[in-house]
Amino acid sequence: MAQEYRKREQKEIESQGQKSQAEHLLRQLTLDEKISMIHGAELFRTAPVERLGIPALAMSDGPMGVRQEFEPDAWKSIGGHDDYVTYLPCNSALAATWNRDLAKAVGKTLGREARGRGKDVILGPGVNIKRSPLCGRNFEYFSEDPFLTKELAVPYIQGVQEWDVAACVKHFAANNQETQRLWVDVKVDEKALREIYLPAFHDAVTKGGAYTIMAAYNKLQGEHCYYSDFLLNQVLRKEWGYEGVVISDWGGVHDTVKAANSSLDIEMSVTEDFDQYYMANPLKQMIAEGKVPESAVDEKVAHILMLMQRLHMLGGERKRGAYNTPEHRQAALEAARESVVLLKNKAGRLPLSPEKTKEILVVGENADMQHALGGGSAEIKALYEITPLMGIKALLGGNAKVTYVKGYCQDPQEEGEDRDVNWQEDSLEHGGGFARAQKREDAALALCRRRLREEAVARAKEFEQVIFIGGLNHFYDSEGNDRVDMRLPYEQDLLIEGLLEANPNTVVIMAGGSPVEMGKWVDKADSLIWSWYGGMEGGKALAEVIFGETNPSGKLPESFYKTHKDCSAHAWGEFAGARQVDYAEGVFVGYRYLDAYGGEPEFCFGHGLSYTSFEYERAELFLEGGKTYLGCQISNQGNRAGKETVQVYLAPMERLEGEPVQQLKGFEKVFLEAGERKTVKVEMEGYRQGMEVRVGSSSRDIRLQLSGCF
Ligand code: BGC
């Protein structure tokens, strides 16, 4: 207690010190100088005030690494070779690890690389809730569950900020679709907002201490988030006591007076007329006309100066950072390994034996595709990216013959679109995003796909072992567009059915940032793996799982619906509304909806198999230091070491109207040697008497239940 107190006191003193230095600087700044600090003077930078030694604030995307350098005033890569970086697994992949230590390690890597590249603010992590599987940016987000999201976002942010770089948690708030994201008005009740959509932001700023936060593009209850009094003043500043910097999303401000009088601190945008930004010359004009008080600008500048102090930008020793180090690549690999989810493994078909594999057929465009430089602002100019095919070949070595056929192909027209660097500037024109329908009718393309498919199916008969690697790519998992359904693109269903018929030994692997329909073939596939955008080492990590060098331990951070229609945003609410979108499902998002209203997912929240099996025993509840814990014993029943995530769901015994059946409120990932038994202690959030405690390996594989008292 005394230690806690002293820590708080120290923080208070530091913050007072920072405030007085900031106040001193503020008093010396002219209005012009102050205004220059609160809007972009380049696409990713504010202006410095050299006279007073105040540097510019350098920002960069994004969650999977530090983005390439652009011209200061054009969305054009500078084309250098010094901005290749460590490419980290996407946030969905990180969420699938259910591993707080890995989240911290990934955050640290990102922070160190950002500092190494001379950045002050890294625009991530994205902590929006996956309300629908169709949102194009889901790969940048963690989960459908607020608890899992915040438990991983907090160490991630702390890791980033260890390197004197600010995390910018985004997009605050209820930015759950890309369609018309600049104008769509989200209607959501306050209960759902506070229980589902806000908790990750709350913890990101209060526990993670995120120095900056990005206001979302969309409107919330009729007000744009960049000036929302409810969101920014009432919730963020007053309730959560936030003293950090609020940055607009790029091009998300639409009115000078509203922006100036709100809690927004910095306006960033996508065009090069920097002096004409709402918080630039037009603001000066409004101040001259007496429509905005100068004190509004002072408040913003004070926040920015405090941020600069926290980052040691105004004196003191600042960390140097580094990029492309071997440790960073190791962090990317470790996270990728634990992100791979083994969805099915009938009759223990996996892992394959590297020694016995002499010949193998690999099919599918995703086996040989690199994804780093796609997806929107999260794109990464990766130092390298190991594809699954390279991972498999490197693991098997030269004595095995690996034959690769494509089997299906992307529409060549999509590739151009994917790589277009000007999309960000153009994006303001069509409301910031749209729904992307599948499939262009094109006879030549259809013929080409049929040939590829026939070739692959014919070859599959000749091989003892086939591996199919398909799924999505950043044409679909991308900022600026949502999917219209969950169907697999490029006629992959036909191909997979053909392969499984030709060779039941086909291992099916899906890569992507959000689930796809699998109903046409899932029952016929004995073994099925889900991998994500796994970063630069993703292909190696996947190969290690296929051949048993890594025992898979990933768990789904979201429900894998059979079709999008089984998701509450579509069944009850609206997705993706263009002008207004009604979150009529309230708190019943993801498994909360499936559990309460009887839906059967293809694979449930929290699901993920291992090559070994775990037994759960002896659950008990106990109190320690004012916190409630679930204790249980877990033992590894197999002959292989492995990791298991013990998940704790709290279920009210008498469920009130509008209350979920069960909610994830604790988890711990544990490593167990073959045959080992361990006692696991899981802290639970929000436990109260009258709740049933369910302990299990997934939301639907509950092994122990406890009701009652200590
Ligand atoms: C995105 C943000 C991103 C910003 C800067 C916007 O289009 O919504 O997430 O950080 O651009 O690139």
Side-chain angles (χ1 to χ4, degrees), residues 43-44 60-63 67 70 75 123-124 137 140-141 168 170-171 175 178 181 214 217 248-251 268-270 376-378 423-424 427-428 432 479:
L43 293 174
F44 284 99
S60 176
D61 287 299
R67 197 176 180 186
F70 286 98
W75 292 96
L123 305 171
R137 282 187 100 167
E140 285 188 65
Y141 303 144
C168 183
K170 64 191 189 185
H171 309 87
N175 182 180
E178 292 300 285
R181 62 182 168 153
M214 189 186 292
Y217 278 132
S248 78
D249 201 343
W250 270 231
M268 297 302 289
S269 192
V270 296
S377 60
W423 67 270
Q424 238 168 322
S427 69
L428 298 191
E479 178 172 348

Side-chain angles (χ1 to χ4, degrees), residues 174 186-193 197 220-221 581-584 586:
V186 173
K187 300 286 176 202
V188 54
D189 65 65
E190 196 168 331
K191 179 175 159 65
L193 197 60
Y197 298 100
L220 181 66
Q221 325 289 32
V581 59
D582 187 3
Y583 287 23

Side-chain angles (χ1 to χ4, degrees), residues 476-695:
Y476 288 95
D477 283 318
S478 175
E479 178 172 348
N481 61 254
D482 297 312
R483 289 184 295 164
V484 293
D485 56 41
M486 279 171 47
R487 279 178 308 148
L488 265 172
Y490 320 131
E491 300 173 29
Q492 289 180 75
D493 283 331
L494 281 176
L495 172 62
I496 301 170
E497 282 177 279
L499 291 172
L500 285 167
E501 203 158 297
N503 190 331
N505 269 354
T506 302
V507 173
V508 180
I509 298 172
M510 291 281 124
S514 18
V516 294
E517 284 182 20
M518 306 185 201
K520 294 211 168 88
W521 43 263
V522 72
D523 289 340
K524 293 176 213 145
D526 283 352
S527 45
L528 175 60
I529 290 178
W530 187 272
S531 75
W532 315 84
Y533 301 110
M536 66 202 306
E537 294 282 347
K540 175 172 165 61
L542 178 62
E544 286 181 3
V545 168
I546 299 170
F547 292 98
E549 285 187 9
T550 293
N551 191 353
S553 66
K555 300 269 187 187
L556 291 181
E558 62 192 281
S559 305
F560 272 24
Y561 305 98
K562 289 190 166 139
T563 97
H564 70 279
K565 292 181 192 139
D566 298 338
C567 158
S568 58
H570 301 270
W572 277 12
E574 293 169 333
F575 187 97
R579 286 221 177 83
Q580 189 174 305
V581 59
D582 187 3
Y583 287 23
E585 70 280 8
V587 298
F588 292 100
V589 174
Y591 69 87
R592 287 168 172 76
Y593 170 70
L594 294 172
D595 290 347
Y597 298 96
E600 270 302 314
E602 198 67 82
F603 296 101
C604 72
F605 178 83
H607 172 72
L609 305 172
S610 163
Y611 293 147
T612 184
S613 60
F614 301 98
E615 199 178 274
Y616 289 61
E617 289 169 297
R618 297 197 200 160
E620 54 161 358
L621 302 178
F622 59 93
L623 267 169
E624 204 179 275
K627 292 178 178 164
T628 40
Y629 291 88
L630 171 280
C632 73
Q633 282 203 345
I634 173 151
S635 52
N636 181 348
Q637 303 283 303
N639 52 10
R640 210 181 252 273
K643 288 187 176 178
E644 169 70 327
T645 299
V646 177
Q647 302 168 33
V648 178
Y649 295 84
L650 295 184
M653 289 194 284
E654 276 169 45
R655 193 159 74 92
L656 304 175
E657 164 114 27
E659 230 186 336
V661 174
Q662 58 171 7
Q663 305 193 68
L664 180 77
K665 291 293 177 185
F667 65 87
E668 267 325 310
K669 191 162 189 173
V670 275
F671 171 79
L672 292 141
E673 294 289 357
E676 192 182 349
R677 176 188 305 270
K678 267 188 185 161
T679 300
V680 184
K681 180 175 155 187
V682 186
E683 187 184 334
M684 295 182 296
E685 182 191 76
Y687 173 81
R688 52 181 196 326
Q689 303 291 348
M691 276 180 157
E692 184 176 79
V693 180
R694 302 178 176 178
V695 191

Side-chain angles (χ1 to χ4, degrees), residues 52-198:
L52 297 173
I54 301 173
L57 209 51
M59 314 181 198
S60 176
D61 287 299
M64 301 193 288
V66 187
R67 197 176 180 186
Q68 61 184 320
E69 292 299 330
F70 286 98
E71 300 279 357
D73 54 0
W75 292 96
K76 198 164 159 255
S77 160
I78 59 163
H81 293 96
D82 56 352
D83 55 355
Y84 287 94
V85 288
T86 300
Y87 165 35
L88 296 157
C90 67
N91 283 344
S92 304
L94 195 54
T97 70
W98 293 60
N99 187 327
R100 296 176 181 90
D101 295 338
L102 285 177
K104 179 97 183 246
V106 164
K108 267 188 183 174
T109 306
L110 184 60
R112 189 163 182 235
E113 295 239 334
R115 193 74 280 282
R117 285 266 307 274
K119 307 299 176 195
D120 307 309
V121 180
I122 188 86
L123 305 171
V127 300
N128 295 101
I129 292 295
K130 299 189 189 196
R131 175 175 175 251
S132 154
L134 304 187
C135 172
R137 282 187 100 167
N138 276 354
F139 72 100
E140 285 188 65
Y141 303 144
F142 290 87
S143 171
E144 69 185 25
D145 182 79
F147 184 78
L148 181 59
T149 304
K150 66 189 192 157
E151 287 300 299
L152 298 172
V154 167
Y156 181 111
I157 291 163
Q158 289 167 339
V160 167
Q161 297 193 161
E162 274 183 20
W163 284 94
D164 287 346
V165 167
C168 183
V169 57
K170 64 191 189 185
H171 309 87
F172 189 55
N175 182 180
N176 310 100
Q177 67 176 54
E178 292 300 285
T179 308
Q180 286 292 317
R181 62 182 168 153
L182 290 179
W183 299 102
V184 70
D185 186 7
V186 173
K187 300 286 176 202
V188 54
D189 65 65
E190 196 168 331
K191 179 175 159 65
L193 197 60
R194 288 189 183 271
E195 291 180 18
I196 304 290
Y197 298 100
L198 294 186

